[in-house]
Amino acid sequence: MAKKSARKKSAPKAKTKAKAKAKKVVKRPAKTIRARAVKAAAEATPPGPPKLASPSVVHWEVQARDPAAQRQFFGDLFGWSVDANNPQNYGVVTAGGPGSIGGGIGITTDAPRATFYVQVPSIVDTLDRAATMGAQMVMPRTDIGMVVMAQFRDPEGNLIGLIEG
């Protein structure tokens, strides 16, 4: 009978040791857990331009021979609200979100010109849509390392850049 008693006593000791070991593993300061989560989230953030709510301009101005047609073209292509209700009849486009800038579409007395870049979710989809609206691709979707970009000429011949993000 002594052997049975010894067995019964040793089993509870093993359970107690396992519980104590489990408690040591589980107990971590909340500060350490939060710091690790923040670090993991920062490492998971992909490099490149910030994500925006809609296709947004990141650098620009357009000067056109027919600014009304150009305002219509860009408004339809990118879903912009272009406000030309001002004495200069200058089409003002407000910034689309953090990381973007506003710009404008105005008249020129000489050759139309523009160089600007619009951040879009899909360069391929945007180039396809622009082509159906009379634009011509100049540079296809190209990964240049820091950004993925493309360029097209609008119906008046202005060079327009796209940044994917």
Side-chain angles (χ1 to χ4, degrees):
M1 285 191 149
K3 288 182 182 179
K4 286 183 181 178
S5 298
R7 285 184 190 165
K8 286 181 182 178
K9 287 181 182 178
S10 63
K13 285 182 184 178
K15 285 182 181 177
T16 305
K17 286 181 183 178
K19 283 182 183 179
K21 191 174 184 180
K23 285 181 183 179
K24 287 180 185 176
V25 172
V26 173
K27 288 186 179 181
R28 288 191 181 151
K31 205 176 202 181
T32 304
I33 293 169
R34 279 191 295 266
R36 287 182 183 168
V38 168
K39 184 178 178 182
E43 290 171 354
T45 303
K51 300 294 181 204
L52 302 174
S54 65
S56 300
V57 176
V58 291
H59 179 77
W60 75 297
E61 180 175 81
V62 172
Q63 294 183 342
R65 290 183 297 253
D66 184 353
Q70 290 296 80
R71 289 192 299 267
Q72 182 70 46
F73 174 81
F74 289 111
D76 290 349
L77 179 61
F78 297 122
W80 292 342
S81 175
V82 184
D83 181 10
N85 187 18
N86 57 63
Q88 295 81 22
N89 198 31
Y90 185 80
V92 177
V93 179
T94 58
S100 72
I101 61 169
I105 302 169
I107 194 163
T108 185
T109 55
D110 57 351
R113 59 189 170 273
T115 303
F116 65 92
Y117 291 82
V118 178
Q119 184 176 327
V120 296
S122 169
I123 284 177
V124 172
D125 291 347
T126 304
L127 286 174
D128 289 348
R129 185 158 183 233
T132 66
M133 299 170 70
Q136 294 180 334
M137 182 177 57
V138 173
M139 177 197 300
R141 183 181 185 276
T142 305
D143 186 341
I144 61 169
M146 292 180 64
V147 296
V148 177
M149 64 179 288
Q151 293 179 328
F152 66 90
R153 290 206 181 272
D154 69 21
E156 286 203 9
N158 293 305
L159 183 63
I160 312 301
L162 301 173
I163 301 292
E164 193 164 273

